[in-house]
Amino acid sequence: MVDTQLIPRGIKDQRVLNAMRKVPRHLFMPEPIRPSAYADMALPIGEGQTISQPYMVAVMTELLDLKGQERVLEIGTGSGYQAAVLAELAEEVYTIERIPELAAQSARRLAELGYGTVHVITGDGTKGYREKAPFDRILITAAAPEIPAVVADQLEEGGIIVAPVGGRLSQILVRSKKVRGLLAQEYQVPCVFVPLIGEYGWKG
Ligand code: SAH
């Protein structure tokens, strides 16, 4: 996967490539689809949700520019795979999931695999996670109509937020840095994610 999908498409950060070599992606999905675990696509994980395509996980992770000491907030735990990749590269990971069954399953999986620095929270991530804010990095892995102001407020000065922003069906992956309290947009690429549903996201 790393040699055929990620390196040829320009993923360069060796730490990201090593993390994605290490995390057992197949263990983050239901048995019947495990034979396709390393294929070049998003896959269904139940509850109408998906685990992102490996390349998209790599792009988002590379954009976060993790050095190892960061406290990261992920909004949209899904399978827990992205959280595991983040845990390989940062100090502490808080990840929020709105569907209780997915949150419970991911928490169990991450614990079994020894990811003790990942904390899974069940709740509406469109409000961020005030209890542990501010964060050095925030990653939204569901499509947001816009970056909620309360989430932006929970980003540390100089911190980076990566999020798919746009319509319900297609979005632009945006990377912004917080400079003097405001988000300065730095990067964008087209993408498709499942919707971010909640108080400051899409409605139902
Ligand atoms: N990062 C995941 C893929 C995420 S798919 C992985 O590695 O597998 C997007 C997830 O965001 C879904 O599980 C969906 O239920 C969740 N989600 C949608 N709206 C949310 C919200 N307001 N708060 C938290 N999670 C949300």
Side-chain angles (χ1 to χ4, degrees), residues 45 49-52 57 60 74-83 96-99 102 123-126 141-142 193-199:
I45 54 169
Q49 305 304 322
T50 54
I51 178 172
S52 305
V57 172
M60 294 190 293
E74 180 193 25
I75 300 172
T77 312
S79 67
Y81 174 69
Q82 172 80 68
I96 309 190
E97 171 57 53
R98 65 178 275 271
I99 301 176
L102 289 179
D124 178 5
T126 67
T141 65
F193 281 77
V194 298
L196 181 75
I197 295 168
E199 186 167 341

Side-chain angles (χ1 to χ4, degrees), residues 35-50:
S36 308
Y38 297 89
D40 188 13
M41 56 178 115
L43 291 165
I45 54 169
E47 311 291 335
Q49 305 304 322
T50 54

